[in-house]
Amino acid sequence: MTIEIDLTLNGEERTFEAERSDSLLDVLRKNGYTGAKRGCDTGNCGFCTVTVDGESAMSCIKPAGTIDGATVETIESLGTQEDLHPIQAAFVDNAALQCGFCIPGMIMRSHTLLAENPDPGREEIREGLSANLCRCTGYEKILDAVEDAAERMDGSTEIAADGGQPDAEASCSGCGCGVNDE
């Protein structure tokens, strides 16, 4: 049986058709929102994490019928390749990604964490991301990225638009690029 679901998705009012047995992840992926990844289908890996009404949610176990009227945010809402969100930029700049499969869920959970706690300590970050798994990293670079993102989002860190150093003259010396080498 098909149902109609009205929601606000990434800031836009949308209506989707879904089967009663569909999850939020099914609805998203059937409609071209492929950022949330299908991993375990049991809510144990976090690859499918999105935000529903301001809270992190595992979209693979969220029944489609429960999202009628909700506000849903996916990784597609945060930034673009040309204009990364500070969290996305921090993950790139801190080499906090390898295969990339878990990264949309990690970034969305980090987004919720930093909205609730703009200046988390390392243990708070570890706890905040504990529902998301990564099969490639040792998590340290991910923790570094979230710390960096928190600083960027509070405006205390200058962000280089080109992904390089904000002030190459002041910070580059002896790396072989020729700037400030004596």
Side-chain angles (χ1 to χ4, degrees):
M1 177 178 207
T2 302
I3 58 174
E4 220 173 67
I5 300 165
D6 296 311
L7 65 135
T8 303
L9 178 61
N10 298 335
E12 276 185 47
E13 298 294 323
R14 301 290 310 265
T15 300
F16 295 111
E17 285 190 0
E19 297 300 317
R20 282 206 182 275
S21 60
D22 282 348
S23 67
L24 172 55
L25 180 62
D26 294 327
V27 172
L28 292 171
R29 294 190 64 84
K30 285 178 186 176
N31 289 283
Y33 297 89
T34 59
K37 305 300 183 208
R38 185 175 305 280
C40 64
D41 273 334
T42 61
N44 289 315
C45 70
F47 297 171
C48 66
T49 302
V50 298
T51 304
V52 177
D53 294 330
E55 298 292 323
S56 291
M58 305 288 195
S59 62
C60 73
I61 58 171
K62 187 90 173 149
T66 66
I67 60 167
D68 192 43
T71 298
V72 177
E73 199 174 1
T74 68
I75 189 78
E76 287 92 350
S77 73
L78 291 189
T80 65
Q81 186 68 31
E82 296 77 33
D83 185 24
L84 295 175
H85 184 279
I87 298 171
Q88 292 169 313
F91 269 70
V92 171
D93 292 346
N94 285 277
L97 28 90
Q98 288 185 16
C99 81
F101 203 73
C102 71
I103 296 305
M106 287 282 188
I107 289 174
M108 291 307 294
R109 189 158 306 270
S110 299
H111 186 256
T112 302
L113 169 68
L114 295 174
E116 293 170 357
N117 182 357
D119 188 26
R122 196 128 174 125
E123 276 308 308
E124 291 169 307
I125 296 169
R126 192 179 307 278
E127 176 64 29
L129 299 181
S130 66
N132 288 61
L133 302 177
C134 178
R135 295 179 176 151
C136 298
T137 70
Y139 296 96
E140 290 305 311
K141 291 184 182 279
I142 292 170
L143 299 174
D144 294 343
V146 177
E147 286 178 329
D148 184 10
E151 289 177 19
R152 292 175 189 222
M153 291 173 68
D154 80 4
S156 66
T157 301
E158 186 178 347
I159 300 172
D162 68 353
Q165 296 293 326
D167 184 357
E169 292 294 325
S171 61
C172 190
S173 180
C175 69
C177 74
V179 177
N180 267 352
D181 286 346
E182 294 182 29

